Amino acid sequence: MANSTEPQKPQNTKKNKKKGATLDTFYGAKIQNTEQTEDNIKENAPKPSKGNGNSPQTYEEFESEMTKKMEAFWEEKLEIMQKKFTHLQNQFDQTVKENQALKARIRQLEDNDRVKEQESIKQSQNTKKLEENIKYLTDKVIDLENRGRRDNLRIIGLPDKPEINTKLDMVIQDIIKENCPEILEQGGNTATDRAHRTPSTLNPQKTTPRNVIAKFQSYQTKEKILQEARKRQFRYKGMPIRVTQDLASSTLNDRKAWNMIFRKARELGLQPRISYPAKLTIYFQGKVWAFNKIEDFQLFAKKRPELCGKFDTENQRARNT
C-alpha cells in the first residue's frame, strides 16, 4: 500500500517573530509592518486540503492572491502618501513665495529708510543754512537800524508831563545850555529835526517816565553831547537825567545784560565802557580788554586772582532778589 504523500503544512511564521512597529505618517496615518500584514493575510487565507493532488496548485494561487493584495495595499498607501507629499510641497512652495515677498518688502523698506535718512540729512543741512542766513540777515537789519539811529540821542529820566511833552525841542535846548554850554559857545548846530516819547502810548503800569528820542541835524553835535554825558551826570532843572546813544531794542537789551558787571567793574576802578554794538571794554593791568559775550568775561575773571569771585552774576542776582 503506497503511502500518500501528504504535503507538509506550512509552519506558522508568526511564532518567534516580533511584531513590526507602526509608522506614523505626516498626518497620523498608521501603516503596519510588512511582516505583520503578511501574517494576517496568511491566517485568514483558506488552508489547502490534505490528500488533494491539487494542493501545490492551490498554494500557488494563494500566494499569487496574497501578492496582489499586498501590492494593492501598498499602492493605496503610496497614493495616500503622494497626496500628502503633494499637499506639503504646495504648502512649502507657498511659504517660499511668501518668504520671498517679505524679503522684497523688507529690502524696499530698507531702501526707503535710506532715502529718508539721506533726505533728513539734506533737510538738516538746509535748515542749518537757513538758520545761518536768518541770523546774518537779522544782524544785518539790526546793524542797519542802529546806523539809521546814528543821529539820535535817548534821554532817560525826563519827567513825563504834558507841559514838557508839548515843547520837547525847547527842553532839549535847555538841557544843552545847563550841562554843556560850551557847545553853544563854539557855534555848534544844536537844532533837532524831531523829538518824541517812546513808546508812542503811555503804559499805565509803568511807573518810570518814557524815554525821549531826539534826532539832531548835526551828527558832530550829537557826538559832542554824548561825550560830555559820559563824563558827568546830566541834569534838567537840578533833576538827574541820563543821555545815551539811541539804538535798536535788541541792542539795548544786549547792553542791559552787562549792567551788573559794568557796575562792579566801575567799583573796582577798571574803567568799563560799552562800545558798539554791545561790547564791554575794561582797563586791567595796563591793557585794554574787550569782550563780546558775558561768558567770555566770566572765564577771563576766573583766571585772574584779582577778579576771581567778584563777578558771580548768579549770586548777585540771588542777593538782589
Side-chain angles (χ1 to χ4, degrees):
M1 182 174 180
N3 294 329
S4 61
T5 60
E6 187 175 341
Q8 294 181 356
K9 185 178 181 181
Q11 296 180 356
N12 190 357
T13 59
K14 184 177 180 180
K15 295 181 180 180
N16 298 327
K17 287 186 179 180
K18 295 182 179 179
K19 295 183 178 180
T22 59
L23 299 177
D24 293 339
T25 63
F26 294 99
Y27 292 93
K30 297 181 179 179
I31 303 175
Q32 295 181 342
N33 193 295
T34 305
E35 295 179 354
Q36 183 178 358
T37 305
E38 292 177 353
D39 291 342
N40 292 337
I41 295 174
K42 288 179 180 180
E43 287 179 357
N44 297 328
K47 305 298 187 293
S49 59
K50 294 181 180 181
N52 189 354
N54 296 329
S55 295
Q57 185 178 2
T58 305
Y59 182 76
E60 290 176 358
E61 292 177 354
F62 163 72
E63 187 175 6
S64 176
E65 184 180 357
M66 182 184 68
T67 301
K68 291 179 180 180
K69 289 182 178 181
M70 289 292 296
E71 290 177 353
F73 172 79
W74 283 112
E75 286 178 358
E76 181 182 358
K77 297 303 180 183
L78 181 61
E79 184 180 358
I80 293 174
M81 292 180 66
Q82 287 178 345
K83 290 181 179 180
K84 300 296 184 183
F85 179 78
T86 303
H87 179 69
L88 289 175
Q89 184 67 37
N90 293 335
Q91 286 186 337
F92 177 76
D93 294 340
Q94 183 66 23
T95 303
V96 170
K97 291 180 181 179
E98 293 177 355
N99 189 24
Q100 292 175 350
L102 289 174
K103 288 182 178 179
R105 181 60 177 167
I106 290 172
R107 285 194 297 269
Q108 183 180 1
L109 291 175
E110 290 176 349
D111 293 340
N112 292 339
D113 288 340
R114 282 193 292 269
V115 172
K116 289 181 179 179
E117 185 177 358
Q118 293 174 357
E119 291 178 353
S120 178
I121 293 173
K122 291 181 180 179
Q123 187 67 27
S124 299
Q125 294 174 350
N126 293 335
T127 302
K128 185 177 180 181
K129 290 181 180 179
L130 287 174
E131 290 176 351
E132 292 175 353
N133 291 336
I134 290 172
K135 185 179 183 305
Y136 170 78
L137 293 174
T138 302
D139 294 341
K140 189 68 174 176
V141 169
I142 292 173
D143 181 67
L144 290 173
E145 183 178 357
N146 288 330
R147 294 182 184 279
R149 296 169 180 258
R150 64 194 302 270
D151 296 333
N152 297 356
L153 284 179
R154 182 180 291 261
I155 303 172
I156 304 171
L158 191 66
D160 195 348
K161 297 180 180 179
E163 57 272 19
I164 294 177
N165 295 338
T166 55
K167 51 180 182 178
L168 286 175
D169 293 336
M170 297 177 60
V171 170
I172 292 170
Q173 297 301 321
D174 293 340
I175 292 173
I176 295 173
K177 290 179 183 178
E178 184 176 351
N179 296 276
C180 45
E182 62 276 9
I183 296 177
L184 296 174
E185 294 173 359
Q186 295 172 1
N189 181 13
T190 60
T192 57
D193 283 338
R194 57 184 175 273
H196 60 86
R197 294 277 184 179
T198 181
S200 57
T201 56
L202 181 64
N203 185 359
Q205 297 180 352
K206 191 174 182 179
T207 57
T208 57
R210 292 176 294 168
N211 297 342
V212 174
I213 306 298
K215 178 176 175 60
F216 287 81
Q217 294 180 356
S218 172
Y219 172 77
Q220 290 76 13
T221 301
K222 186 270 302 183
E223 282 295 313
K224 290 179 182 180
I225 297 172
L226 186 60
Q227 290 175 5
E228 293 297 327
R230 289 170 179 168
K231 295 178 183 179
R232 58 181 180 272
Q233 177 73 60
F234 270 31
R235 295 180 178 276
Y236 173 69
K237 294 183 179 181
M239 183 180 300
I241 58 174
R242 189 157 61 95
V243 178
T244 64
Q245 174 67 47
D246 180 39
L247 297 169
S249 58
S250 58
T251 305
L252 290 175
N253 292 332
D254 293 339
R255 289 192 169 199
K256 285 181 182 179
W258 289 104
N259 283 349
M260 299 180 68
I261 294 176
F262 185 90
R263 288 195 294 268
K264 188 64 178 179
R266 178 179 287 176
E267 293 176 3
L268 297 175
L270 300 179
Q271 303 176 16
R273 286 190 61 185
I274 302 295
S275 57
Y276 180 83
K279 180 169 62 176
L280 174 70
T281 59
I282 61 173
Y283 186 78
F284 179 71
Q285 294 180 347
K287 296 180 180 180
V288 177
W289 303 83
F291 307 94
N292 292 319
K293 297 180 180 180
I294 295 177
E295 293 78 9
D296 296 339
F297 176 81
Q298 290 176 338
L299 184 62
F300 171 83
K302 287 180 180 179
K303 295 180 179 179
R304 272 70 181 176
E306 301 90 339
L307 305 177
C308 184
K310 296 180 180 179
F311 292 93
D312 192 349
T313 56
E314 296 296 331
N315 292 336
Q316 290 179 9
R317 288 194 185 98
R319 287 195 297 268
N320 292 336
T321 55

